[in-house]
């Protein structure tokens, strides 16, 4: 595991060199949104607990009802639940191949009574009791994927991956008949609905020269048009958001498959800068055909507001990119932009939000420290 993260660090160093050493293209500043930027500079550290041993933090989720933080620890292949004093409440999962054990945590999800861990290596979704952390049962989604995926589109980060809704409906990436992103099923594997329209021009495969040409022109390749991830709506548990992370666009769906609305996201300089990065990189390293990801994950407030975290092209050599969080209302309108000037030491891919106290909780890369920024 340490060797894996070392390889990421080396790749990031190269990316940092390319992005900082060859900035020859400027930004087109026309038609940018006028939504205000709130810069968050000050933070507090969560209380230390000598009994809380964290290895490699990869994800945080905060539960407003219990006021507990759930921490994805890659080193332990477990989800750690802690209270406000950093006391351990429950541990979900452990390393292994037995019942309730995990080889690779791809993501985890919370419902009112259960916690779910997606094991991307064993193609299992494990269900645990939130009362005591005990494993209840598992869903083998590998066989189901073989039945519904044709062809397989890219699944980068949280895009096009299994997802569990607030009412415990399971979404599996599908691309059914070239029309839908996800197939909704129940815990028994029975089909409920197809959710998320595939954009017309999306394709599962694309020639590298065409991809390269699109990136050089700061356009999204057809290969990346269908990169998307769901976000639960806590104000309407039978509905969810589908975020098309490369376009970018937000759509609202019911779990019965009905599209309620869709909204193209307003243009911002911080999003445009990601395309400039990729264009400059491809100019100098033609084989670097990284997928376009403008948004990488999202959180939802009790009143239905959507908070999306931008992809930062984070690198280890030049810590210039801050963490950006965009707040949207329940109709998909951009209403706030939050900027955390962190010098790049934060995990920008994953964060928790305490909506009752207006705190953004995120972890540092090197020392497993958890910070709280008030917004």
């Amino acid at each position: 595991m340490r060797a894996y993260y070392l390889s990421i660090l080396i790749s990031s160093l190269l990316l940092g060199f390319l992005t900082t050493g060859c900035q020859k293209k400027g930004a087109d500043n026309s038609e940018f949104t006028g939504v205000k930027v709130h810069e968050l500079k000050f933070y507090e550290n969560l209380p230390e607990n000598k009994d809380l041993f964290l290895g490699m933090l990869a994800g945080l989720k905060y539960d407003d009802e219990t006021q507990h933080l759930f921490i994805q620890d890659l080193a332990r292949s477990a989800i750690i639940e802690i209270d406000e004093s950093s006391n351990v409440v429950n541990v979900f999962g452990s390393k292994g191949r037995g019942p309730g054990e995990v080889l690779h945590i791809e993501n985890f999800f919370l419902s009112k009574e259960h916690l779910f861990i997606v094991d991307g290596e064993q193609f299992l979704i494990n269900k645990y009791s939130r009362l005591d952390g005990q494993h209840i049962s598992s869903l083998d989604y590998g066989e189901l994927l073989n039945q519904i995926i044709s062809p397989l589109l890219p699944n980068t980060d949280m895009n096009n991956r299994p997802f569990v809704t607030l009412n415990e409906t399971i979404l599996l990436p599908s691309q059914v008949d070239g029309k839908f992103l996800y197939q909704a099923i129940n815990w028994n594997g029975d089909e409920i609905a197809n959710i998320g329209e595939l954009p017309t021009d999306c394709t599962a495969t694309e020639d590298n020269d065409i991809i390269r040409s699109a990136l050089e022109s700061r356009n999204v390749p057809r290969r990346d048009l269908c990169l998307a991830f769901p976000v639960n709506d806590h104000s309407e548990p039978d509905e969810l958001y589908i975020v098309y992370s490369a376009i970018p666009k937000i759509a609202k769906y019911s779990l019965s498959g009905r599209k309620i609305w869709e909204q193209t996201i307003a243009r911002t300089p911080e999003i445009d800068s990601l395309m400039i990065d990729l264009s400059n990189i491809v100019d100098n390293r033609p084989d670097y055909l990284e997928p376009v990801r403008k948004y990488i994950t999202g959180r939802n407030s009790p009143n239905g507001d959507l908070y999306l975290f931008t992809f930062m092209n984070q690198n280890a050599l030049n810590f210039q990119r801050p963490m950006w969080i965009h707040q949207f209302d329940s109709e998909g309108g951009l209403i706030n932009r939050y900027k955390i000037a962190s010098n790049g030491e934060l995990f920008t891919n994953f964060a928790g939000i305490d909506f009752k106290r207006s705190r953004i909780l995120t972890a540092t890369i090197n020392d497993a420290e958890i910070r709280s920024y008030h917004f």
Side-chain angles (χ1 to χ4, degrees):
M1 186 65 73
R2 295 281 180 182
Y4 170 75
Y5 280 93
L6 180 60
S7 68
I8 291 179
L9 177 61
I10 294 172
S11 299
S12 297
L13 286 168
L14 179 58
L15 173 59
F17 172 78
L18 291 170
T19 56
T20 57
C22 307
Q23 296 289 332
K24 68 178 184 181
K25 298 184 177 181
D28 176 7
N29 291 320
S30 63
E31 301 178 1
F32 284 141
T33 180
V35 173
K36 183 178 179 180
V37 174
H38 306 270
E39 187 165 3
L40 311 180
K41 298 180 179 180
F42 305 104
Y43 65 87
E44 299 173 350
N45 292 326
L46 261 62
E48 294 185 3
N49 186 338
K50 64 180 180 180
D51 297 323
L52 178 61
F53 298 102
L54 298 174
M56 296 180 181
L57 306 191
L60 301 174
K61 293 184 181 180
Y62 189 87
D63 180 37
D64 279 296
E65 185 172 338
T66 61
Q67 298 185 359
H68 288 180
L69 182 65
F70 293 78
I71 305 167
Q72 178 180 339
D73 189 345
L74 290 181
R76 295 172 63 174
S77 291
I79 306 300
I80 317 299
E81 178 184 0
I82 64 173
D83 62 18
E84 286 297 292
S85 300
S86 296
N87 298 311
V88 176
V89 178
N90 282 311
V91 177
F92 304 86
S94 61
K95 187 77 171 180
R97 296 180 178 272
E101 295 180 333
V102 181
L103 291 181
H104 172 65
I105 298 178
E106 190 170 274
N107 205 344
F108 71 98
F109 303 92
L110 303 172
S111 70
K112 188 175 182 62
E113 297 181 352
H114 302 117
L115 181 141
F116 298 84
I117 294 178
V118 179
D119 184 341
E121 189 163 332
Q122 298 188 87
F123 295 98
L124 294 175
I125 301 176
N126 293 324
K127 180 194 291 188
Y128 306 84
S129 168
R130 287 189 57 179
L131 183 64
D132 55 12
Q134 293 300 304
H135 174 247
I136 298 173
S137 60
S138 299
L139 172 66
D140 185 342
Y141 68 87
E143 186 66 27
L144 295 171
L145 282 180
N146 290 333
Q147 297 173 18
I148 65 176
I149 293 184
S150 179
L152 180 64
L153 288 167
N155 55 351
T156 57
D157 305 307
M158 294 299 102
N159 289 295
N160 309 95
R161 294 184 182 272
F163 184 88
V164 183
T165 71
L166 294 174
N167 70 1
E168 303 191 0
T169 297
I170 312 299
L171 301 187
L172 296 180
S174 65
Q175 293 87 57
V176 175
D177 298 326
K179 296 180 180 179
F180 300 100
L181 285 163
Y182 289 94
Q183 186 176 96
I185 63 172
N186 60 25
W187 192 247
N188 296 320
D190 303 319
E191 181 181 350
I192 299 173
N194 294 313
I195 296 177
E197 295 177 356
L198 287 169
T200 304
D201 294 333
C202 175
T203 181
T205 58
E206 192 171 19
D207 182 80
N208 283 350
D209 288 337
I210 297 177
I211 295 173
R212 188 176 300 109
S213 177
L215 293 175
E216 287 176 342
S217 302
R218 304 180 196 167
N219 294 319
V220 177
R222 293 178 60 200
R223 173 202 64 177
D224 302 334
L225 292 176
C226 289
L227 295 180
F229 59 87
V231 181
N232 282 311
D233 183 352
H234 286 265
S235 67
E236 298 286 349
D238 291 328
E239 299 177 0
L240 52 73
Y241 300 95
I242 298 291
V243 180
Y244 294 80
S245 59
I247 296 177
K249 179 176 70 175
I250 305 171
K252 186 73 177 297
Y253 280 86
S254 71
L255 292 180
S256 65
R258 178 176 64 91
K259 182 166 73 172
I260 302 170
W261 54 257
E262 69 176 36
Q263 179 77 259
T264 300
I265 296 175
R267 185 180 171 200
T268 62
E270 55 270 23
I271 291 295
D272 268 24
S273 68
L274 304 181
M275 295 303 299
I276 294 171
D277 278 356
L278 290 175
S279 177
N280 287 323
I281 292 169
V282 170
D283 273 353
N284 295 278
R285 183 181 166 186
D287 61 327
Y288 191 88
L289 303 178
E290 188 75 8
V292 175
R293 290 155 290 181
K294 297 178 180 178
Y295 290 98
I296 195 167
T297 192
R299 299 288 183 259
N300 180 252
S301 70
N303 69 354
D305 282 0
L306 180 63
Y307 293 73
L308 297 182
F309 292 74
T310 64
F311 185 63
M312 286 292 95
N313 290 352
Q314 191 178 49
N315 61 81
L317 182 62
N318 180 27
F319 290 149
Q320 292 184 349
R321 294 215 173 277
M323 174 187 287
W324 284 91
I325 303 101
H326 289 170
Q327 179 187 358
F328 301 82
D329 62 26
S330 59
E331 299 297 324
L334 179 60
I335 56 177
N336 279 305
R337 296 153 64 203
Y338 298 98
K339 173 184 176 183
I340 299 179
S342 62
N343 294 324
E345 73 268 29
L346 300 179
F347 269 118
T348 58
N349 296 5
F350 306 93
I353 301 182
D354 173 2
F355 290 104
K356 286 185 178 179
R357 284 175 288 184
S358 299
R359 298 187 301 164
I360 296 169
L361 303 166
T362 187
T364 57
I365 293 174
N366 297 320
D367 51 12
E369 175 185 273
I370 298 176
R371 294 179 180 178
S372 170
Y373 291 84
H374 286 267
F375 66 98

